[in-house]
Amino acid sequence: MRTIEKHQDFESRFGEFPELLFARYDDTRIYFDMTRFLRSLKLDPERKISEFTEGFALWIGNLGKVYGIPPDELFAVDSATGHRLAEESLALPFLTCVDPVFGVYLLESMSQMLSVGIVCSDTYILMQAHDRFTVEELISTENSNA
């Protein structure tokens, strides 16, 4: 596991998980802060990170191989905070470990994409409806369907 000395500012990448923050640490790797995210959920970081690395070892190893990430670069420690970090490709399996309901959502979404050819998040659908219609139009549509 590598130790990170300097990095760019952390940024949120997923609207549904605003506390899951990512930062670039060198020219090639982006990591997310597992410790900060788990603390934001009031979960024990050490226990949950162990659960993730043990329970998802097959996924972690295969993602490393597929993306050509050396095993010692999959995880890191931020020298400034002591926080445990993980390479960005591990974000979705990590979220699945932390929130199994999210894992089910991912599987359902993938099934929909394979059978229908497209999938949109609920957040995206609501944003598009909000951008396209006024509140009055949405209420009118709801009342006419009743």
Side-chain angles (χ1 to χ4, degrees):
M1 182 180 324
R2 68 194 297 190
T3 300
I4 305 295
E5 299 289 330
K6 297 179 181 178
H7 58 79
Q8 295 175 353
D9 291 336
F10 281 99
E11 295 180 353
S12 180
R13 181 180 285 182
F14 305 136
E16 288 80 4
F17 299 99
E19 296 297 322
L20 185 66
L21 302 179
F22 294 78
R24 181 173 299 280
Y25 285 86
D26 55 32
D27 291 338
T28 59
R29 295 277 176 250
I30 296 173
Y31 291 91
F32 63 93
D33 190 332
M34 294 185 291
T35 302
R36 184 182 191 286
F37 181 71
L38 292 168
R39 285 182 180 162
S40 77
L41 298 175
K42 298 188 181 0
L43 297 172
D44 176 22
E46 289 305 315
R47 187 180 64 77
K48 207 61 174 170
I49 291 170
S50 291
E51 182 182 319
F52 172 59
T53 56
E54 293 168 15
F56 285 72
L58 179 67
W59 279 102
I60 292 166
N62 284 324
L63 282 165
K65 287 177 189 171
V66 168
Y67 290 119
I69 303 166
D72 65 327
E73 293 184 20
L74 288 168
F75 295 97
V77 174
D78 186 325
S79 66
T81 63
H83 287 193
R84 299 271 307 271
L85 313 170
E87 202 276 336
E88 68 179 324
S89 64
L90 302 179
L92 293 180
F94 175 73
L95 287 170
T96 298
C97 177
V98 173
D99 182 359
V101 173
F102 178 71
V104 171
Y105 168 77
L106 285 179
L107 293 172
E108 289 176 350
S109 296
M110 183 56 66
S111 179
Q112 182 181 10
M113 186 184 75
L114 292 171
S115 62
V116 180
I118 190 170
V119 65
C120 296
S121 71
D122 294 344
T123 302
Y124 175 79
I125 292 169
L126 288 172
M127 285 179 9
Q128 292 303 308
H130 181 265
D131 289 347
R132 174 78 171 96
F133 301 105
T134 65
V135 172
E136 293 77 20
E137 289 171 323
L138 290 171
I139 291 171
S140 172
T141 302
E142 178 63 26
N143 290 337
S144 67
N145 289 331

